[in-house]
Amino acid sequence: MKTYAELKAFVDNRGFHKQRKNSLEHLNFDSLDKPIVNIIKRFWELDFCFTLQSCYGHFVHELQTDGRNTERLPVSVPKLKVEYRLAYIAFCIANNQHGKTLLNELKGIQLMDKDYIQVGCAGWFWRKQVNSFVIQVEPERFKYEDKINIEYPEALHIEKVRDDVFLQLDTFLANR
């Protein structure tokens, strides 16, 4: 599944509130990656957006083969080859001033590291849910991929960027 597509302009969505209610009815917080559950819950407190899908971002390697693990990378294993599974939150945002402000805030988070953070549309979601956007942590050169193989030093950088992005989202949402 490809989550990322280039940013599109907001369009009219008269069914937003009904779609939001339906999505909330089907949301299972127990199925979410534990480190981001509170962030997802905070997004749901905003009446001008709702989450569609998310992933904390997972690092799989010879010392950790569980593809859903949320463990930090080992302190120092410089020759370790790592498969990184994309960190992202995809959401639908209302076409109103609050929604546009939220999207601008997300673009501000992207400025922390434009080589590793993208804000765009949630690719295949848009076909079913207009105004679907995503913030993701992925090397720019792989922004359309869901998982990539990388060297250990880059994995460490991605882990730091991912942590910073989720901290910024949590801080932003806590102050709303």
Side-chain angles (χ1 to χ4, degrees):
M1 172 188 63
K2 306 282 187 228
T3 55
Y4 184 79
E6 297 301 325
L7 204 56
K8 296 180 184 185
F10 280 97
V11 297
D12 187 40
N13 181 7
R14 288 188 168 89
F16 174 84
H17 292 290
K18 182 178 179 183
Q19 294 160 353
R20 184 178 187 282
K21 181 178 184 255
N22 184 52
S23 188
L24 181 57
E25 288 171 357
H26 292 93
L27 180 61
N28 176 3
F29 286 106
D30 292 333
S31 69
L32 301 175
D33 292 329
K34 299 293 184 238
I36 59 173
V37 168
N38 286 335
I39 292 171
I40 302 303
K41 285 180 178 178
R42 284 188 170 149
F43 268 115
W44 278 96
E45 292 172 2
L46 305 175
D47 65 356
F48 53 88
C49 76
F50 60 93
T51 58
L52 298 166
Q53 196 168 16
S54 62
C55 183
Y56 178 61
H58 308 283
F59 296 96
V60 181
H61 46 82
E62 64 189 60
L63 303 174
Q64 175 51 271
T65 58
D66 178 5
R68 302 253 323 144
N69 84 81
T70 57
E71 292 178 11
R72 303 205 54 77
L73 287 165
V75 176
S76 182
V77 187
K79 295 194 187 277
L80 191 66
K81 302 286 186 195
V82 179
E83 179 185 88
Y84 169 64
R85 298 182 182 182
L86 179 67
Y88 69 95
I89 299 178
F91 28 70
C92 181
I93 302 175
N95 182 9
N96 61 29
Q97 190 55 49
H98 292 296
K100 291 174 182 173
T101 299
L102 172 60
L103 187 58
N104 283 331
E105 291 286 339
L106 296 173
K107 290 178 189 175
I109 292 172
Q110 180 182 13
L111 296 177
M112 292 183 341
D113 192 333
K114 289 190 83 163
D115 292 332
Y116 286 86
I117 304 167
Q118 297 88 39
V119 173
C121 287
W124 70 272
F125 290 109
W126 191 282
R127 289 189 292 276
K128 296 192 277 186
Q129 183 65 66
V130 297
N131 300 332
S132 297
F133 298 93
V134 66
I135 184 165
Q136 68 179 31
V137 178
E138 182 85 306
E140 175 70 21
R141 68 190 186 278
F142 296 119
K143 67 184 175 185
Y144 297 106
E145 303 300 321
D146 293 338
K147 60 184 176 179
I148 59 172
N149 293 309
I150 52 177
E151 300 294 325
Y152 181 75
E154 186 170 30
L156 286 174
H157 180 73
I158 291 170
E159 181 179 59
K160 181 187 179 323
V161 172
R162 177 203 62 193
D163 294 349
D164 289 347
V165 165
F166 287 132
L167 178 62
Q168 285 296 314
L169 285 172
D170 193 43
T171 301
F172 164 74
L173 293 165
N175 293 322
R176 301 279 310 157

